[in-house]
Amino acid sequence: MIVANRKPLAEIREMVENCDKILILGCKGCVTVCNVGGAREVSILASILRIARKKEGRLLHVDEMTIERQCDPEYIEQVKDRVGQYDAVVSMACGVGPQFLSEAYPAQRFFPAVNTTFFGGAIQHGVWAERCAGCGTCIIHYFDGMCPIARCSKSLLHGPCGGSANGKCEISKEVDCIWDKIVRKKMEEGHLKDLLDPKPPKDWRTARDGGPRKSVREELVQ
Amino acid sequence: MRLSYPSNVKVIQVPCSGRVDIIHLLKAIEDGADGVYVAGCLEGECHFLTGNFKAKKRVQYVKKVLEELGIEPERVEMFNLSAGEGPRFAEIATEMTERIRELGPSPVKPQNAA
């Protein structure tokens, strides 16, 4: 899923500083799963903003709404009757949400309430870790299901660097050296020689290096 | 045992302190409560194993939020006591009431709003 974190309160408060009426719009997709932008978090942020304004003696009218997803036009359409009534709409979806909303409703101001961080999963309750860099050409089958692009600090593709020590990366004792894990697993399985097979250079044009990406599935296009 | 505790304390019963969510504490503050506290079971004695630990973390979260908003975090607190400790319950109610009285009325009182 796409993992995000809520922006610092001070930043969100600054965004809505001049607003008297806002809508906080949640998303039931990835940000609900990573507990950052679903209905529960929408109500918490709404309450916090109301408290902050009540303390200042300046009321802020905050409406709350959470839609199925903010990355599909049919769901974006559901807020059609709501937008236009607010000084701003604060989106708690990943970075896609406020952009889709802005494109659909150009006259309405949209603010992001979260920082979108990475593609990952929950390694324990409340802890998420990066697993995919969205490079566009998956190669994890060469590395026993571990991605050195997302999980090696240097995205090395040919083995560990000199900063690997006792299975940890030099950037932090908290970060595993993924190359250590890959090599150990290959050794355990007796497939170490797989890593000796020469591979052509990775085509980075499918990653961000090729500019903004678009995916077209002809069988679905209407 | 007929114990008295300050009448300003409004008790809201929940099946387990783990049921108390961040939004419940925030709503109390938002609606003008001068303080709010959670009375959970003793640590390690939760019937549902970790309910009181969850409540503790949520209380800490709300304290942090209040601090960021410039509101005294002491207005929110977590206490642990067993269901058999009636006198302790009354003592906590008094302790919390005195603490809040010292802090004064909440700056979030509805009448403060424009």
Side-chain angles (χ1 to χ4, degrees):
Chain A
M1 80 187 110
I2 292 176
V3 180
N5 284 314
R6 199 194 65 208
K7 281 181 173 291
L9 283 179
E11 196 179 339
I12 300 173
R13 287 178 65 195
E14 198 182 324
M15 286 178 195
V16 300
E17 177 60 26
N18 298 319
C19 301
D20 295 320
K21 190 179 179 191
I22 63 168
L23 170 70
I24 301 183
L25 190 63
C27 175
K28 292 185 191 171
C30 311
V31 289
T32 289
V33 183
C34 69
N35 302 74
V36 81
R40 178 175 176 266
E41 294 75 27
V42 165
S43 65
I44 289 172
L45 180 61
S47 183
I48 291 173
L49 293 177
R50 285 190 207 107
I51 290 171
R53 278 296 190 83
K54 274 190 179 177
K55 181 176 174 271
E56 289 173 8
R58 204 158 58 96
L59 276 188
L60 176 66
H61 180 96
V62 187
D63 282 341
E64 304 166 27
M65 186 180 181
T66 301
I67 58 174
E68 208 61 34
R69 282 195 296 277
Q70 292 188 23
C71 53
D72 268 319
E74 56 263 52
Y75 298 118
I76 293 285
E77 172 115 10
Q78 290 174 353
V79 294
K80 185 176 65 185
D81 299 332
R82 307 287 293 267
V83 294
Q85 306 171 24
Y86 301 96
D87 297 323
V89 176
V90 176
S91 166
M92 295 201 84
C94 70
V96 178
Q99 295 190 60
F100 261 52
L101 288 161
S102 299
E103 287 163 31
Y105 309 108
Q108 175 72 64
R109 277 201 304 173
F110 293 96
F111 297 137
V114 309
N115 289 324
T116 308
T117 46
F118 52 77
F119 302 142
I123 51 173
Q124 69 177 82
H125 197 69
V127 182
W128 291 267
E130 186 166 15
R131 285 290 183 270
C132 177
C135 72
T137 313
C138 192
I139 50 169
I140 61 172
H141 51 296
Y142 294 139
F143 309 113
D144 286 358
M146 290 175 266
C147 177
I149 297 168
R151 299 172 70 184
C152 164
S153 302
K154 293 175 177 171
S155 297
L156 294 180
L157 290 178
H158 59 281
C161 72
S164 175
N166 302 318
K168 297 291 172 187
C169 174
E170 65 183 339
I171 66 156
S172 163
K173 292 273 177 285
E174 303 288 304
V175 177
D176 288 330
C177 169
I178 199 64
W179 269 106
D180 186 272
K181 282 183 179 285
I182 292 169
V183 170
R184 282 180 199 283
K185 191 163 179 198
K186 290 278 187 197
M187 284 168 75
E188 272 170 27
E189 292 176 351
H191 295 151
L192 193 58
K193 63 174 175 28
D194 289 358
L195 296 175
L196 296 173
D197 290 342
K199 306 269 185 331
K202 183 172 164 60
D203 183 354
W204 287 101
R205 285 174 302 179
T206 57
R208 279 284 305 153
D209 306 46
R213 295 168 280 179
K214 188 184 267 185
S215 183
V216 181
R217 297 262 304 275
E218 289 298 347
E219 77 277 21
L220 297 173
V221 176
Q222 290 176 356
Chain B
M1 189 167 19
R2 294 180 71 83
L3 298 162
S4 64
Y5 61 90
S7 59
N8 50 272
V9 176
K10 180 178 162 64
V11 178
I12 297 170
Q13 285 185 308
V14 284
C16 168
S17 60
R19 177 65 186 90
V20 179
D21 197 5
I22 291 165
I23 190 66
H24 301 131
L25 303 172
L26 285 173
K27 276 285 173 195
I29 297 292
E30 184 188 330
D31 292 343
D34 295 318
V36 52
Y37 65 95
V38 181
C41 292
L42 292 167
E43 291 190 356
E45 293 192 7
C46 175
H47 181 69
F48 304 102
L49 306 178
T50 56
N52 45 7
F53 287 105
K54 285 176 180 156
K56 185 181 176 182
K57 289 198 167 183
R58 290 165 190 164
V59 166
Q60 282 166 353
Y61 178 97
V62 176
K63 276 176 172 281
K64 201 166 147 259
V65 166
L66 293 187
E67 205 164 1
E68 280 185 74
L69 300 182
I71 299 167
E72 303 90 344
E74 299 81 17
R75 290 186 184 279
V76 179
E77 202 54 82
M78 172 86 198
F79 293 96
N80 297 92
L81 71 163
S82 89
E85 292 181 277
R88 178 68 187 133
F89 181 88
E91 195 179 294
I92 287 169
T94 309
E95 185 187 321
M96 193 66 184
T97 301
E98 280 168 9
R99 182 198 291 192
I100 299 300
R101 195 159 283 144
E102 264 176 45
L103 290 171
S106 164
V108 190
K109 286 281 182 195
Q111 59 262 37
N112 286 358

